[in-house]
Amino acid sequence: QVQLVESGGGLVQPGGSLRLSCAASGSIFSANAMGWYRQAPGKQRELVAAVTSGGSTNYADSVKGRFTISRDNAKNMVYLQMNRVKPEDTAVYYCHADILAFYTPQIARYWGQGTQVTVSS
């Protein structure tokens, strides 16, 4: 089975930096688009950033200029570098990946279990 595991979340002060990592593992033939969603208390889940296998990126307006998404295709990993964080960045961050597995001919979206990011002084 395909698994996604996030790491790097935690408590950070406003203006600080944090780097999230997500590793996809299992019976992966190829990983296509990968990215991050987040969900804050009382709010709907929103796309933070995404990156295609070719390196094309997309960011939410609220994080443009502060966050950077990147990936390592050889390792099936995706990262989110969070700089100049704000209290409103506080949320559970979920990694996602569109993966073609060996056991199916259809690309499916897989999700990590989430990692908590808390921005507070």
Side-chain angles (χ1 to χ4, degrees):
Q1 297 290 327
V2 174
Q3 296 179 335
L4 272 64
V5 179
E6 303 101 333
S7 63
L11 178 65
V12 61
Q13 293 184 337
S17 297
L18 205 64
R19 188 181 191 232
L20 306 183
S21 300
C22 174
S25 62
S27 54
I28 299 171
F29 181 79
S30 65
N32 297 282
M34 305 181 76
W36 298 87
Y37 279 77
R38 69 184 181 188
Q39 187 166 24
K43 300 179 66 176
Q44 291 187 317
R45 186 179 63 179
E46 66 171 345
L47 177 67
V48 178
V51 57
T52 68
S53 60
S56 179
T57 58
N58 184 42
Y59 296 93
D61 288 340
S62 60
V63 306
K64 287 181 179 178
R66 299 188 298 118
F67 293 4
T68 302
I69 189 170
S70 61
R71 65 186 291 164
D72 186 330
N73 291 333
K75 296 180 180 179
N76 290 323
M77 295 191 68
V78 63
Y79 309 90
L80 186 68
Q81 180 66 46
M82 306 168 61
N83 296 328
R84 303 188 303 280
V85 296
K86 304 175 181 179
E88 49 263 45
D89 294 322
T90 297
V92 177
Y93 285 71
Y94 298 91
C95 173
H96 73 265
D98 297 333
I99 290 174
L100 179 63
F102 286 112
Y103 50 82
T104 179
Q106 179 67 48
I107 294 175
R109 174 158 290 186
Y110 294 84
W111 294 89
Q113 292 187 323
T115 184
Q116 176 71 47
V117 173
T118 302
V119 182
S120 176
S121 60

